[in-house]
């Protein structure tokens, strides 16, 4: 394509000469159009030019961020925070501006709360690290968690130590809450005890107890020995890297055998002091109150070896061990202070909830102005009910508490939606597999007295999932059963499970009855699991199985000849005696010879005493014709096969573990 060049001519003669030369060559200039309707000059004869491939920028997978956890601390710089989160400094600075922070340079120091806000916006998990430099460090009492198998005497042992009777108040005689209290020993020392449930459904509670404790007292019954929850408690303690003191209880019983318990513990990898290890063993009896002084001595000795100390000044770090909703006081959180001092009037963030501490009470219910390290307390004033296991952090203002709470709620919701989407993807893949039976859904609404029990009951119900029934916990809550729970259950056709809560008002019960909603109320965990397990068995569609309904032995062979063409040719009849069960004409027949299957087909005729019958029971003789098969032999076995629906079974073990076997 010839490019047009603007020329300036000195005379008209030269311009005329230039136009003449262009016409000779054959090039004609087209008048150029002006305006937006100007036509583009394109040469269609030229091949299209291939542009170089530019790969798209890959988006970072959210799943890798959700699993990433970083350590944050007070006074970290913008550069260090950007390096740990994997983001650029500019991105971190933009987030800081969005959360209302003024940043001058990338080397400015950030508070630990602001660092957490930035990390949550990025999408990573955080782990707070606190420094004790310049703080007052003093010795503190040990926090001791009592763990072991169900009905091995954990609570009775603590009752003997503090001269109370808690076990008698528990439903069914088993502990179903995580309790915390301080026991003053005769020697003048004080020890903070945590009592954990021993039932299999409360595994999460035992894990929380091991995470916050200094020493684990492993209670083993001398007459029962090492059991499944005993081994689970050992695993929790070893995972938390907590020393163990073994208390062999019920040594006053006639069939007690402490030496057998020691051998069992040694076989499980626990090296006792008597065998050259460092694990102390004390033989006690909660009923006779014997050996308690030796247990106290062992615990104090272990605490002295650990040199337990904590800072007492500065903001407190605490850990929620239980939470419940009180009708008059609102949300209550039972917590143990790990470091610092918790004061009334402080703004705190507990998990994704926040509030201002209105009152601090000790475990006896008395008001206290402050809570020091290793002291279990109940705090009031939270805006919502926290989760058992949440950490308590103190913030400087209400605005900061609101911002942190909102950020944690957003991240929690994102994580929850991500887990739901991943679960749906797995469910879709399972449904595409035609070999797997289709499952029916059993929605459940769970209400309990405290937050930890809600989690334990929910986990126990979800453990009853099977290939035929999917237990879907659609809603959980703390407190009594209300009208809103009935409305929700009616909307999704759910059962309502009330565990350790008061009976609902008559209006709520009447509304549930009219809506056809079944309310299951229990105070003992294994009774609840047994009833729900039976409901699952009833609701399960079951699987079809082929079973042998009866067997018959061929004693003689009869042949009918001379039949008409319309009726067919010759027919051989097997004369049989039913030796087991019954033979039904509508079922499928299988012919066995020397244990091998010779023929399998339908029964075309079944007669007894020359009469057509539908069924022949054990001990009677009959004659039968099997389809087009005529090669019968004396001694053959005819099996009657029928399709039956096999329902799953609810199985509970002595340790408290339950499952649905399909």
């Amino acid at each position: 394509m010839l490019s047009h060049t603007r020329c300036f001519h000195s005379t008209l003669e030269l311009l005329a000469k230039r136009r003449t030369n262009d016409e000779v060559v054959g090039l004609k200039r087209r008048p150029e159009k002006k305006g937006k309707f100007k036509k583009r000059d394109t040469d269609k004869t030229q091949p299209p030019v291939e542009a170089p491939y530019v790969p798209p920028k890959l988006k970072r997978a959210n799943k890798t961020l959700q699993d990433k956890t970083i350590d944050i601390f007070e006074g970290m710089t913008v550069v260090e925070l950007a390096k740990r989160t994997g983001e650029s400094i500019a991105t971190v600075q933009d987030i800081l501006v969005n959360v209302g922070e003024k940043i001058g340079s990338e080397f400015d120091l950030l508070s630990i709360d602001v660092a957490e806000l930035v990390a949550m916006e990025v999408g990573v998990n955080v782990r707070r690290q606190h420094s004790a430099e310049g703080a007052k460090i003093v010795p503190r009492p040990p926090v001791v968690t009592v763990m072991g198998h169900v009905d091995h005497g954990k609570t009775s042992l603590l009752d003997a130590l503090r001269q109370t009777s808690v076990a008698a108040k528990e439903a069914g005689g088993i502990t179903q809450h995580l309790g915390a209290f301080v026991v003053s020993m005769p020697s003048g020392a004080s020890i903070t005890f945590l009592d954990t449930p021993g039932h299999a459904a409360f595994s999460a509670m035992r894990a929380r107890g091991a995470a916050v404790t200094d020493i684990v007292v492993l209670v083993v019954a001398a007459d029962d020995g090492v059991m499944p929850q005993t081994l689970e408690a050992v695993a929790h303690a070893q995972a938390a890297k907590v020393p163990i003191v073994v208390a062999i209880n019920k040594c006053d019983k006639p069939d007690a055998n402490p030496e057998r318990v020691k051998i069992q513990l040694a076989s499980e990898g626990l090296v006792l002091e008597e065998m050259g290890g460092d694990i102390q063993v004390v033989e006690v009896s909660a009923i006779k109150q014997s050996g308690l002084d030796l247990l106290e001595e062992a615990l104090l000795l272990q605490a002295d070896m650990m040199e337990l100390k904590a800072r007492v000044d500065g903001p407190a770090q605490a850990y929620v061990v239980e939470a419940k909703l009180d009708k008059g006081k609102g949300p209550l959180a039972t917590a143990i202070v790990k470091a610092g001092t918790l004061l009334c009037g402080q703004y705190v963030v507990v998990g994704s909830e926040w509030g201002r501490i209105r009152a601090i009470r000790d475990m006896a219910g008395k008001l206290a102005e402050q809570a020091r390290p290793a002291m279990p307390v109940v705090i009031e004033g939270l805006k919502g009910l926290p989760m058992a296991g949440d950490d308590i952090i103190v913030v400087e203002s209400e605005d900061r508490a609101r911002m942190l709470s909102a950020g944690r709620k957003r991240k929690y919701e994102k994580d929850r939606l991500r887990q739901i989407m991943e679960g749906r993807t797995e469910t879709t893949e399972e449904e595409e597999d035609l070999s797997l039976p289709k499952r029916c859904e059993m929605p459940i609404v769970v209400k309990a007295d405290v937050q930890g029990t809600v989690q334990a009951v929910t986990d126990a119900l979800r453990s009853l999932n099977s290939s035929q029934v999917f237990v879907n916990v659609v809603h959980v809550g703390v407190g009594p059963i209300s009208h809103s729970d009935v409305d929700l259950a009616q909307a999704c056709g759910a059962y309502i499970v009330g565990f350790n809560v008061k009976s609902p008002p008559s209006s709520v019960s009447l509304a549930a009855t009219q809506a056809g909603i079944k309310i299951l109320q229990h105070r003992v965990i294994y009774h609840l699991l047994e009833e729900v397990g039976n409901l699952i068995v009833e609701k399960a569609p079951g699987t079809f199985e082929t079973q042998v309904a009866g067997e018959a032995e061929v004693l003689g062979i009869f042949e009918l000849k001379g039949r008409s063409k319309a009726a067919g040719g010759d027919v051989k009849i097997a004369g049989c005696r039913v030796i087991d069960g019954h033979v039904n004409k509508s079922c499928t027949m299988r012919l066995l010879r020397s244990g091998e299957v010779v023929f399998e087909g339908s029964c075309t005729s079944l007669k007894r005493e020359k009469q057509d019958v539908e069924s022949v029971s054990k001990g009677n003789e009959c004659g039968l014709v099997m389809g087009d098969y005529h090669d019968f032999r004396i001694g053959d076995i005819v099996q009657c096969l029928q399709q039956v629906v096999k329902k799953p079974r609810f199985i509970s073990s002595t340790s408290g573990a339950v499952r649905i076997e399909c």
Side-chain angles (χ1 to χ4, degrees):
M1 182 177 179
L2 182 63
S3 61
H4 300 281
T5 305
R6 187 174 181 181
C7 302
F8 296 91
H9 305 279
S10 58
T11 61
L12 294 175
E13 290 80 0
L14 292 175
L15 177 61
K17 187 177 180 181
R18 172 67 182 270
R19 288 179 176 176
T20 304
N21 293 335
D22 289 344
E23 292 175 1
V24 171
V25 176
L27 298 175
K28 295 183 179 180
R29 299 169 182 263
R30 294 181 180 179
E32 296 182 359
K33 295 182 180 181
K34 296 182 180 181
K36 65 179 181 179
F37 297 100
K38 178 181 177 181
K39 186 177 180 181
R40 294 181 180 179
D41 293 330
T42 57
D43 191 358
K44 297 183 180 180
T45 60
Q46 294 182 358
V49 179
E50 294 184 359
Y53 171 74
V54 179
K57 294 183 179 180
L58 296 177
K59 294 183 179 180
R60 182 172 46 196
N62 291 330
K63 189 173 182 180
T64 58
L65 285 179
Q66 302 292 347
D67 299 335
K68 183 178 180 181
T69 302
I70 64 172
D71 293 331
I72 59 174
F73 52 88
E74 187 75 27
M76 66 188 311
T77 62
V78 178
V79 175
E80 190 165 9
L81 182 59
K83 183 178 179 180
R84 297 196 178 199
T85 57
E87 296 289 340
S88 63
I89 297 177
T91 302
V92 174
Q93 288 178 336
D94 291 341
I95 297 175
L96 289 171
V97 173
N98 292 334
V99 298
E101 291 293 320
K102 296 180 180 180
I103 299 298
S105 67
E106 60 268 24
F107 297 102
D108 288 353
L109 301 181
L110 303 175
S111 67
I112 191 170
D113 299 333
V114 174
E116 182 178 349
L117 285 172
V118 174
M120 286 190 297
E121 289 295 327
V122 173
V124 298
N125 301 316
V126 297
R127 183 170 48 243
R128 289 180 168 234
Q129 301 291 339
H130 297 271
S131 175
E133 293 184 5
K136 183 180 179 181
I137 308 297
V138 296
R140 64 169 177 83
V143 179
V144 178
T145 299
V146 181
M147 307 176 74
H149 191 72
V150 62
D151 199 27
H152 275 201
K154 300 179 294 298
T155 308
S156 300
L157 181 61
L158 292 176
D159 290 345
L161 289 172
R162 61 176 180 170
Q163 296 298 320
T164 59
S165 180
V166 177
K169 301 176 184 177
E170 292 286 353
I174 63 171
T175 301
Q176 300 181 128
H177 300 85
L178 199 155
F181 46 86
V182 178
V183 175
S184 296
M185 295 296 180
S187 62
S190 62
I191 300 178
T192 300
F193 281 99
L194 291 180
D195 186 13
T196 62
H199 193 272
F202 298 96
S203 176
M205 287 190 179
R206 288 191 292 276
R208 289 201 305 275
V212 75
T213 191
D214 300 314
I215 305 171
V216 166
V217 173
L218 184 66
V219 178
V220 188
D223 60 338
D224 204 5
V226 176
M227 300 297 285
Q229 270 64 62
T230 309
L231 302 178
E232 183 190 321
V234 172
H236 287 317
Q238 292 176 344
K241 298 180 180 179
V242 177
I244 298 175
V245 175
V246 178
I248 302 178
N249 194 18
K250 301 183 180 181
C251 290
D252 57 308
K253 287 196 170 185
D255 55 346
N257 190 353
E259 296 300 326
R260 180 174 65 92
V261 175
K262 295 177 183 179
I263 295 174
Q264 290 177 343
L265 292 173
S267 64
E268 296 296 337
L270 296 180
V271 185
L272 310 180
E273 277 189 343
E274 300 176 2
M275 304 175 183
D278 55 353
I279 297 179
Q280 303 180 72
V281 181
V282 182
E283 298 180 9
V284 298
S285 172
I287 302 298
K288 301 291 184 180
Q289 296 190 4
S290 60
L292 301 182
D293 52 345
L294 299 177
L295 179 61
E296 174 194 356
E297 182 181 349
L299 292 176
L300 295 179
L301 176 61
Q302 186 67 48
D304 290 340
M305 294 172 57
M306 299 174 67
E307 297 182 353
L308 300 174
K309 295 181 179 180
R311 61 176 178 85
V312 293
D313 52 355
Q317 298 170 245
Y319 189 92
V320 177
V321 295
E322 197 60 275
K324 67 177 181 178
L325 193 63
D326 188 85
K327 187 175 182 180
K329 301 175 183 178
L332 302 179
T334 303
I336 290 184
V337 180
K338 294 187 288 187
T341 303
L342 195 65
L343 304 173
C344 282
Q346 289 181 327
Y347 289 99
V348 292
V349 178
V350 186
S352 59
E353 304 295 339
W354 73 279
R356 186 180 184 185
I357 299 179
R358 184 171 63 245
I360 298 177
R361 299 179 184 271
D362 59 13
M363 301 313 294
K366 297 180 180 179
L367 288 173
E369 290 296 327
Q370 61 183 11
R372 297 171 71 87
M375 180 179 177
V377 292
V378 177
I379 61 175
E380 305 175 13
L382 298 178
K383 301 296 182 182
L385 191 69
M387 301 290 290
D390 288 341
D391 57 340
I392 301 176
I393 59 173
V394 179
V395 294
E396 57 187 10
S397 64
E398 181 179 348
D399 293 339
R400 182 60 52 80
R402 288 178 181 271
M403 191 176 297
L404 263 179
S405 175
R408 288 185 174 186
K409 286 181 179 178
R410 285 196 304 269
K411 189 176 187 307
Y412 172 78
E413 189 65 20
K414 289 180 181 178
D415 295 347
R416 188 181 69 86
L417 293 176
R418 179 179 62 91
Q419 292 175 358
I420 291 176
M421 295 304 296
E422 290 178 355
R424 286 181 178 177
T425 303
E426 294 176 358
T427 304
T428 305
E429 292 177 355
E430 291 180 357
E431 289 178 352
E432 291 177 355
D433 189 356
L434 300 178
S435 62
L436 296 176
K438 292 186 177 180
R439 296 197 298 178
C440 60
E441 184 179 359
M442 184 176 180
I444 295 178
V445 175
V446 177
K447 297 297 289 288
D449 55 342
V450 294
Q451 184 64 53
T453 306
V454 169
Q455 295 180 14
V457 172
T458 302
D459 295 341
L461 292 176
R462 286 173 177 165
S463 68
L464 295 177
N465 281 332
S466 64
S467 59
Q468 298 187 25
V469 178
F470 169 61
V471 179
N472 183 16
V473 181
V474 295
H475 175 70
V476 297
V478 175
I481 300 172
S482 61
H483 281 283
S484 60
D485 299 325
V486 175
D487 294 339
L488 176 61
Q490 184 179 6
C492 57
Y495 294 90
I496 298 179
V497 171
F499 186 78
N500 211 17
V501 296
K502 296 181 180 179
S503 298
S506 57
S507 59
V508 175
S509 301
L510 180 61
T513 304
Q514 292 176 349
I517 303 301
K518 191 171 184 179
I519 298 179
L520 313 177
Q521 281 195 278
H522 289 278
R523 296 179 61 84
V524 181
I525 185 66
Y526 48 77
H527 292 165
L528 169 65
L529 296 178
E530 183 177 359
E531 184 173 3
V532 175
N534 293 331
L535 289 175
I536 290 176
V537 170
E538 294 177 4
K539 194 176 182 66
T543 56
F544 287 98
E545 279 193 354
T546 302
Q547 291 185 354
V548 178
E551 290 185 348
E553 183 181 2
V554 179
L555 302 179
I557 303 170
F558 307 95
E559 186 174 0
L560 292 180
K561 293 184 178 181
R563 303 181 68 189
S564 63
K565 294 184 179 180
D570 298 341
V571 176
K572 284 189 178 182
I573 302 173
C576 306
R577 178 186 289 117
V578 181
I579 59 177
D580 188 21
H582 64 276
V583 175
N584 200 322
K585 181 181 178 181
S586 60
C587 296
T588 303
M589 299 296 177
R590 176 189 294 168
L591 185 66
L592 300 180
R593 184 173 298 158
S594 300
E596 296 183 359
V597 179
V598 178
F599 175 79
E600 185 172 327
S602 61
C603 178
T604 57
S605 177
L606 180 64
K607 291 188 178 186
R608 181 173 179 269
E609 297 180 354
K610 300 183 180 181
Q611 299 293 328
D612 290 327
V613 292
E614 290 295 326
S615 178
V616 180
S617 59
K618 179 180 178 181
N620 296 317
E621 296 182 353
C622 62
L624 59 86
V625 179
M626 294 177 57
D628 297 331
Y629 188 79
H630 307 297
D631 188 17
F632 294 107
R633 295 183 185 178
I634 297 176
D636 290 348
I637 300 296
V638 178
Q639 289 184 339
C640 177
L641 308 178
Q642 64 178 2
Q643 295 285 334
V644 295
V645 178
K646 182 184 178 183
K647 290 280 190 176
R649 292 190 304 159
F650 172 76
I651 298 177
S652 61
S653 62
T654 55
S655 64
V658 295
R659 72 180 191 276
I660 300 294
E661 185 179 84
C662 295

